[in-house]
Amino acid sequence: SFGLFFSMFFSSKRPAGFNARRGFAAPAAFSPGSVRMFRFAKSLRNQRPQTTEAPAYRYCRRKAKVHFGLRRLCWEQSETTMTFRQALGLGRPLLLDGAMGTMLQASGMPAGATPEEFCMANPDTLRGIHKAYLDAGVDLLTSCTSGRNIYKLPKSLDVFSFNRRMVEIAKEAAAQAGRPVFVAGNVGPTGHFAKPLGPVEPRDLIAAFALQIRGLVAGGADLIFIETQFDLAEARAAVAAARQECD
């Protein structure tokens, strides 16, 4: 009965016996429940406002325009001085950027090269990738630092210096956007499990994450972005390190 009601009440092709003003005169073949459903629908339809420009609707619409207009004005006038916490308080959706590895390959990173060493040697290329995401309209740039900790970073690079430099490059790109853009210090997995599932002590994981996050903070990251953790204990270690190194 309910499906039949929807098909005939909202369809542009009215069935026989349907009158736009008086409703549907249900044939005798319909069950009493169907008849009651049609009468209920008719009563609801008669209670609707005759026009969408009713005074209450116009007031709500004007109020909504002012509400969102003020939020948009606040966002535009703040330029780059807005903090990430203030941006969250505005209730505006914040768009995050996308992949980094494939963008580096598309930008000329040769096969076999490590992304870390390539980015350190080609900061303009990395800055251009960030700019491409900014031109697409993102509000959050993630630093090229996922998994760049003592367990995964090439031994030729210093963990603290590398993470600080990657955030600095992202901040340089964000400064040219002319609007509030935030840089998330990206913290990825270590590739190891904590005891008893793996050989690494939890305190060693916290120390590894803390060293990386210390570099991200020194570079000026607006927030810490912990992602792609394979183990809950590892994720907790990353959170503990972030609380240790951040305000």
Side-chain angles (χ1 to χ4, degrees):
S1 300
F2 193 67
L4 182 61
F5 153 68
F6 268 92
S7 64
M8 288 191 284
F9 189 73
F10 292 102
S11 175
S12 59
K13 297 181 180 180
R14 305 299 189 187
F18 186 90
N19 184 283
R21 297 186 60 187
R22 301 167 62 182
F24 188 83
F30 285 174
S31 66
S34 300
V35 175
R36 286 195 297 269
M37 177 65 75
F38 288 124
R39 289 176 179 173
F40 175 69
K42 179 181 178 181
S43 66
L44 290 181
R45 186 181 60 183
N46 293 338
Q47 294 175 13
R48 293 182 302 180
Q50 297 301 316
T51 172
T52 56
E53 291 299 323
Y57 176 82
R58 289 199 300 268
Y59 171 77
C60 292
R61 189 174 60 176
R62 287 197 303 269
K63 188 175 181 180
K65 284 185 177 180
V66 172
H67 177 69
F68 289 106
L70 287 176
R71 287 192 171 187
R72 183 168 58 252
L73 182 63
C74 179
W75 179 269
E76 293 173 351
Q77 288 185 345
S78 63
E79 297 299 330
T80 57
T81 60
M82 181 184 298
T83 66
F84 181 66
R85 289 179 178 175
Q86 290 173 334
L88 290 178
L90 291 178
R92 176 187 182 276
L94 300 177
L95 302 180
L96 194 67
D97 62 5
M100 179 57 70
T102 51
M103 293 292 286
L104 288 173
Q105 292 174 338
S107 300
M109 184 178 70
T114 61
E116 299 86 356
E117 293 175 337
F118 179 81
C119 289
M120 289 293 285
N122 301 274
D124 291 338
T125 300
L126 179 59
R127 195 177 296 109
I129 294 173
H130 289 315
K131 184 180 183 301
Y133 278 120
L134 291 172
D135 293 341
V138 303
D139 304 299
L140 283 164
L141 293 174
T142 53
S143 60
C144 184
T145 55
S146 177
R148 273 60 176 188
N149 48 64
I150 58 175
Y151 293 103
K152 302 183 75 172
L153 194 68
K155 300 303 180 183
S156 59
L157 298 175
D158 177 69
V159 174
F160 178 88
S161 301
F162 174 81
N163 283 273
R164 179 182 61 187
R165 182 56 182 149
M166 292 299 100
V167 172
E168 289 174 348
I169 294 175
K171 295 286 285 187
E172 291 168 4
Q176 304 299 319
R179 56 185 174 86
V181 175
F182 308 99
V183 175
N186 199 353
V187 177
T190 62
H192 296 276
F193 288 100
K195 289 183 177 179
L197 298 178
V200 183
E201 292 286 347
R203 62 175 176 269
D204 294 334
L205 285 179
I206 295 177
F209 285 128
L211 178 59
Q212 179 185 8
I213 293 173
R214 201 172 303 138
L216 299 174
V217 172
D222 297 293
L223 64 146
I224 301 300
F225 185 73
I226 300 171
E227 49 102 356
T228 324
Q229 303 294 327
F230 298 101
D231 179 34
L232 183 58
E234 185 183 41
R236 294 178 64 181
V239 171
R243 289 176 173 174
Q244 173 182 314
E245 300 297 329
C246 305
D247 56 15

